[in-house]
Amino acid sequence: MKIVLVSLLLTLLGSSLIAQTKTTVKRPAVKSSSNSTSLRASLTRGKTVYAANCLACHQADGSGVPNLNPPLIQTSWVLGSKVVLVNQVLNGSKGKVEIDGDRFENAMPPQAHLSDQQIADVLTYVRNSFGNKAAVVTAMEVKSARAKRK
Amino acid sequence: MKNIIIIIAVILLGLTSNTFAQPGKTKADFTLPAGFKYSVIGKSLNRARHIVVNSNGDVYVKLARPRGGKGIIRLQDKNKDGIVDDTTGFGDYGGTGITIKNGYLYASSNTTVYRYKINNNEPDTAHPQIIVSGLIDAGTHNTKSLVLDNAGNIYVTIGAPSNICQAEDRKTGAPGQDPCPLLEKTGGIWQFKADKENQTYSDGVRYATGIRNTVGLDWNTSTNTLFAMQHGRDGLQDYHFFPDSVSVELPAEEMLEVKKPGDNFGWPYCFYNQLAGKKMVNPEYGGDGKATGRCEGVAAPAAAYPGHMAPNGLLFYTGNQFPAKYKNGAFIAFHGSWNRAPLTQKGFFVAFQPFRDGKPSGAYEVFASGFAGKDNITAPGQAMYRPCGLAQGPDGSLYVTDDAKGNVWRINFTGNKKG
């Protein structure tokens, strides 16, 4: 019985190590030095876009406002589909949004005035800040979502 | 200058007050004026909104969302040892408003006002009567606070589902709708008959209008008028009329006194600049941070407080337990701000507004502070507790709710009144 448990533990440990390694490899930051530089630049630009357009409601730490403005920390929207996320930024919402079981009442104005690059940067920043870790969003992806929206 | 006076007042208050550490309970130690102490009487009830205490001491708390199918929680101290020994509940709806008057307990969902007859201190929970229904719930500002006067009327707040009545809500620079169509059925306080069932808009009177949103309200029995705390608009700072340090204080959170039916307080066209002491035109209606134009003659607030602090509870203190200065003055529960970036958030305390001859007299005082758990937080989610509802017990104790974790505190005066 003990042996089974130990081997089970080892297997779990092993697979989690592999998973961790995989995640590490996936991280754009360590892909190559040029990608790393461009990610850093995107994050820096994204932070500026965030401060000017998002921070007042979603807050400096991404925690949002209970019942009013959604948090951006480890939510299914932030970590999930990039297309859904880009469309949220482009279209905004009329409020009464339900996210992971909580309801948020305030409307979000559309942010379509931001450029493809600005939206890519700010979403890359959000998806890699506040404890989040998710794939970068590119200007091409924003451009494509914007085109489909029209 | 006013700010400096307030800062000095706060420092003086700090020097003369006692901090009561709650052993082993929480990190939040509340600071109260000398002679006051607090105790926790309810813990983790979830989002505890308004609160009322019956004449026998039973405490009723309205929850924003039902917990285990119960939206009203009753806290009882059956053996009268000062400690709650029975927690029960009823009412399968969430909401904010709750009050007791003339043998009935009134409570609200975000669309409906219910009441329960109280027989021998027991509400008849099996037979709720619907007093008003069909009130607008469009998400934003949907809570319905309640208070009764002494003439058989109930007042229900109906907030505007909007920041400033733009066709595109919360879009900086988008023009405001003029006239604002939301004012027909929201953006004010409605008066209904307290004992008539099945009323709706057509049975009510729009008692006060031009109010963006009110959560805290109370009937002042010494002036025989309705007082309501308006939540001022968001995002005025996005127009950069003033430096950030000034901008985040505007517009004021307003204490409104409704002196006659139909009083209009100017939303969405006007905001109150407490530093200038004037109602000014909102930028969505052509304002430039100076113009008073169409807002001249619009009723000024009875008192004004720094912007965005979200006054969610108002209580005129009529008890005899506290020192004489508190009698007929107002306690205000400030829920705490979120719209003050790039500066830190503010509020998260219970204030006391002195009154004299039925009018606010002098600056407000911070009465109970420390709810946030730490200073200079940048987001409301960092606050440990957020004050929301206020009530007075039959012995003159003050009750405070928190809708972050759902705690309820009782504050007593145990000091020397003469000292």
Side-chain angles (χ1 to χ4, degrees):
Chain A
M1 185 61 193
K2 265 186 187 170
I3 296 165
V4 177
L5 269 178
V6 169
S7 58
L8 194 67
L9 271 174
L10 281 175
T11 318
L12 280 174
L13 198 68
S15 58
S16 78
L17 276 176
I18 293 161
Q20 271 185 12
T21 319
K22 270 185 186 164
T23 339
T24 317
V25 173
K26 261 189 186 171
R27 278 181 198 169
V30 293
K31 257 190 184 171
S32 74
S33 63
S34 75
N35 271 355
S36 158
T37 313
S38 77
L39 174 69
R40 268 204 301 275
S42 179
L43 289 174
T44 306
R45 291 193 305 267
K47 188 174 183 177
T48 308
V49 177
Y50 184 83
N53 298 278
C54 319
L55 185 149
C57 296
H58 291 290
Q59 305 294 310
D61 61 1
S63 64
V65 179
N67 318 312
L68 301 182
N69 308 326
L72 305 175
I73 301 172
Q74 303 276 330
T75 69
S76 55
W77 284 44
V78 167
L79 301 177
S81 157
K82 289 196 259 184
V83 176
V84 170
L85 200 54
V86 170
N87 278 323
Q88 172 64 28
V89 173
L90 289 169
N91 300 331
S93 82
K94 293 201 183 307
K96 294 200 274 186
V97 172
E98 189 130 348
I99 298 177
D100 299 339
D102 285 317
R103 209 173 97 142
F104 299 92
E105 308 291 8
N106 279 355
M108 169 172 158
Q111 305 293 322
H113 60 282
L114 296 174
S115 71
D116 294 342
Q117 188 63 52
Q118 284 176 311
I119 292 175
D121 289 340
V122 78
L123 290 179
T124 298
Y125 169 74
V126 165
R127 281 161 66 93
N128 292 280
S129 304
F130 319 133
N132 299 325
K133 211 71 194 158
V136 300
V137 176
T138 67
M140 280 304 289
E141 288 170 317
V142 179
K143 189 179 179 187
S144 150
R146 203 193 290 262
K148 281 183 190 142
R149 169 176 167 264
K150 278 169 187 164
Chain B
M1 185 59 197
K2 200 173 172 187
N3 282 347
I4 294 169
I5 292 171
I6 290 168
I7 289 165
I8 292 170
V10 169
I11 292 169
L12 285 175
L13 201 70
L15 287 174
T16 55
S17 64
N18 291 347
T19 300
F20 295 91
Q22 197 71 8
K25 285 275 166 66
T26 65
K27 280 188 287 179
D29 293 334
F30 299 153
T31 302
L32 294 164
F36 287 91
K37 70 174 187 183
Y38 71 87
S39 56
V40 182
I41 66 154
K43 282 195 84 172
S44 305
L45 300 178
N46 288 359
R47 294 170 49 199
R49 299 285 288 178
H50 283 176
I51 177 170
V52 67
V53 187
N54 196 15
S55 53
N56 71 333
D58 288 354
V59 177
Y60 295 87
V61 181
K62 189 76 199 78
L63 302 185
R65 264 190 277 176
R67 189 178 77 147
K70 297 173 191 346
I72 300 170
I73 300 296
R74 176 166 71 172
L75 306 171
Q76 284 181 293
D77 170 14
K78 287 183 166 171
N79 64 6
K80 300 290 172 198
D81 65 352
I83 296 163
V84 170
D85 47 34
D86 196 24
T87 302
T88 52
F90 58 96
D92 61 356
Y93 50 92
T96 287
I98 192 160
T99 191
I100 290 176
K101 188 89 176 177
N102 298 334
Y104 285 90
L105 183 144
Y106 294 79
S108 65
S109 71
N110 293 336
T111 60
T112 304
V113 179
Y114 302 87
R115 78 170 183 179
Y116 305 82
K117 186 156 182 31
I118 302 175
N119 302 309
N120 299 321
N121 296 318
E122 285 297 321
D124 183 1
T125 60
H127 301 101
Q129 295 177 308
I130 292 177
I131 299 300
V132 189
S133 65
L135 303 178
I136 286 179
D137 170 5
T140 298
H141 302 154
N142 57 1
T143 60
K144 306 291 184 287
S145 302
L146 308 172
V147 73
L148 278 78
D149 63 16
N150 292 319
N153 299 302
I154 185 166
Y155 300 85
V156 184
T157 65
I158 308 178
S162 170
N163 178 32
I164 198 70
C165 206
Q166 297 161 293
E168 296 171 277
D169 193 17
R170 295 183 180 273
K171 183 175 182 182
T172 305
Q177 302 176 82
D178 196 356
C180 174
L182 299 176
L183 288 168
E184 190 191 334
K185 289 192 167 178
T186 68
I189 300 169
W190 266 252
Q191 181 196 56
F192 297 94
K193 295 289 173 216
D195 60 357
K196 188 180 165 196
E197 290 184 63
N198 299 313
Q199 299 170 86
T200 188
Y201 276 102
S202 54
D203 303 292
V205 171
R206 194 173 67 173
Y207 192 72
T209 187
I211 303 175
R212 180 175 172 272
N213 187 35
T214 287
V215 184
L217 84 170
D218 199 7
W219 187 262
N220 185 323
T221 52
S222 65
T223 58
N224 212 29
T225 52
L226 178 68
F227 279 73
M229 301 299 304
Q230 162 153 260
H231 283 213
R233 60 160 301 169
D234 301 322
L236 184 60
Q237 59 271 50
D238 295 340
Y239 293 88
H240 302 289
F241 295 142
F242 315 96
D244 283 343
S245 60
V246 175
S247 231
V248 296
E249 304 289 329
L250 299 174
E253 304 289 51
E254 298 173 63
M255 176 186 276
L256 307 174
E257 180 182 9
V258 186
K259 293 181 176 166
K260 57 180 193 309
D263 272 357
N264 184 344
F265 295 95
W267 183 91
Y269 315 113
C270 312
F271 73 92
Y272 187 67
N273 180 333
Q274 74 273 32
L275 305 173
K278 287 176 185 165
K279 289 249 175 178
M280 293 180 170
V281 182
N282 269 313
E284 294 80 1
Y285 293 90
D288 58 0
K290 291 194 272 287
T292 53
R294 69 195 289 178
C295 301
E296 284 177 27
V298 170
Y305 307 89
H308 310 298
M309 298 205 304
N312 273 7
L314 175 68
L315 176 88
F316 286 102
Y317 186 78
T318 56
N320 294 315
Q321 183 188 127
F322 291 5
K325 74 173 242 190
Y326 293 99
K327 186 118 183 184
N328 297 320
F331 286 100
I332 306 164
F334 285 105
H335 198 221
S337 72
W338 62 265
N339 194 224
R340 278 174 48 90
L343 275 70
T344 54
Q345 304 301 340
K346 189 166 171 174
F348 312 97
F349 57 74
V350 177
F352 177 70
Q353 171 64 62
F355 266 63
R356 193 170 173 180
D357 302 328
K359 290 184 170 54
S361 168
Y364 74 93
E365 303 162 6
V366 175
F367 177 76
S369 62
F371 290 86
K374 55 185 170 182
D375 295 332
N376 300 321
I377 59 174
T378 59
Q382 295 163 12
M384 185 175 295
Y385 305 114
R386 302 186 73 187
C388 186
L390 298 170
Q392 182 184 312
D395 64 348
S397 303
L398 179 69
Y399 291 75
V400 184
T401 63
D402 140 63
D403 70 355
K405 300 210 169 37
N407 280 16
V408 181
W409 299 276
R410 181 174 54 218
I411 297 173
N412 287 97
F413 183 76
T414 55
N416 183 351
K417 280 192 195 177
K418 286 169 189 142

